[in-house]
Amino acid sequence: MDIASELKYFALSQGLVAIGSAPVAAYSGAPQGHRPEEFLPDAKTVITFTYRMNQAAIMNLPQTRGQYMMEFNTVNQLLSQAGHKITRLLEEKGYPSLAISPEAAIGDYPRLKADFSHKHSAVLCGLGQFGLNNLLLTPKYGPGVRLGSIITTAEITLDNPPLGDNLCDNCGQCVRNCPAGALGSYQEDYSADTGRTMDKQKCAHYMFTVHNGNRCGMCIKACLERFS
């Protein structure tokens, strides 16, 4: 079994719902300090993968915020474990590799800016597109997934079927439902490939000050209704 097939098989065994890859050169437009080769010299490939969240905790927000946080934290742990195991598999084959946490570890929380953008990487890896909510939308589960990534010195191609039409229909429900008013106007700068400008300080303040670090999830709920 070649390494790409082995990785796909292993990803499914870990409960991941999708996995893709992109060459490091595709990340040349990332801001300085956030590029794959700055974390791992000699990096050749980035692998990004998704894990589906259970929907009831999202669809019944805000009443189920406690249950949503449990889901959020559990999925982050599962993604971290999957990233660790895939990294181990690659390193045992002689390829130094680095798993990136699904949750920001040293990132700038006030601006919601992590060390590495899983969402941008997922788009480059063919797993989905950006929606107006600035979340990754996937063909099957919409925004109801969380992400992890691995930077590796291996040259790997994990192809995914073309996405086709824009997954976001510009309904604007996420904008109207944002309790922090963080999504604002979107007509001028939204792109399915690169996302859009949003007021991250408003979003961060609502989560970390108003709700003491509990995630909001209302933009996910508004969008997920279309994919249910």
Side-chain angles (χ1 to χ4, degrees):
M1 183 182 296
D2 63 85
I3 189 169
S5 298
E6 186 174 355
L7 281 177
K8 286 186 175 182
Y9 179 83
F10 188 75
L12 291 175
S13 75
Q14 298 301 305
L16 301 176
V17 295
I19 186 169
S21 68
V24 165
Y27 297 79
S28 60
Q32 188 173 359
H34 300 270
R35 299 168 186 164
E37 65 274 20
E38 293 173 302
F39 294 96
L40 183 66
D42 300 324
K44 299 291 191 302
T45 307
V46 178
I47 299 168
T48 294
F49 43 87
T50 61
Y51 193 102
R52 177 179 178 264
M53 300 179 72
N54 292 326
Q55 294 188 2
I58 303 171
M59 298 305 293
N60 291 285
L61 285 166
Q63 293 88 347
T64 54
R65 180 157 287 118
Q67 291 72 35
Y68 173 58
M69 282 303 301
M70 182 179 71
E71 187 73 15
F72 179 93
N73 290 327
T74 299
V75 171
N76 280 349
Q77 291 173 5
L78 292 169
L79 283 165
S80 294
Q81 291 171 10
H84 169 78
K85 291 176 181 178
I86 294 172
T87 298
R88 174 71 59 84
L89 186 155
L90 289 167
E91 292 208 333
E92 286 178 347
K93 293 182 178 296
Y95 300 108
S97 302
L98 183 69
I100 306 294
S101 169
E103 182 74 330
I106 313 174
D108 187 348
Y109 265 128
R111 293 186 295 118
L112 295 184
K113 190 172 185 179
D115 297 330
F116 180 81
S117 175
H118 297 295
K119 292 184 294 185
H120 284 88
S121 183
V123 172
L124 292 172
C125 292
L127 301 182
Q129 300 168 338
F130 279 97
L132 290 179
N133 46 23
N134 222 35
L135 299 171
L136 179 77
L137 304 187
T138 61
K140 189 172 182 179
Y141 301 115
V145 299
R146 288 194 57 74
L147 317 171
S149 297
I150 293 168
I151 302 169
T152 179
T153 56
E155 292 187 8
I156 302 172
T157 300
L158 300 167
D159 292 323
N160 283 286
L163 295 174
D165 295 336
N166 196 338
L167 298 173
C168 179
D169 63 4
N170 297 318
C171 72
Q173 193 66 23
C174 57
V175 178
R176 293 187 289 273
N177 281 21
C178 178
L183 295 176
S185 178
Y186 59 83
Q187 291 88 346
E188 295 182 0
D189 68 345
Y190 165 65
S191 165
D193 294 326
T194 58
R196 51 163 296 197
T197 301
M198 60 176 284
D199 194 328
K200 292 185 177 181
Q201 289 186 336
K202 282 185 178 180
C203 184
H205 180 268
Y206 187 77
M207 288 193 296
F208 298 116
T209 301
V210 177
H211 284 292
N212 298 313
N214 291 317
R215 302 307 193 267
C216 171
M218 295 303 290
C219 58
I220 302 176
K221 176 185 176 180
C223 186
L224 192 59
E225 291 173 349
R226 291 183 48 243
F227 292 85
S228 300

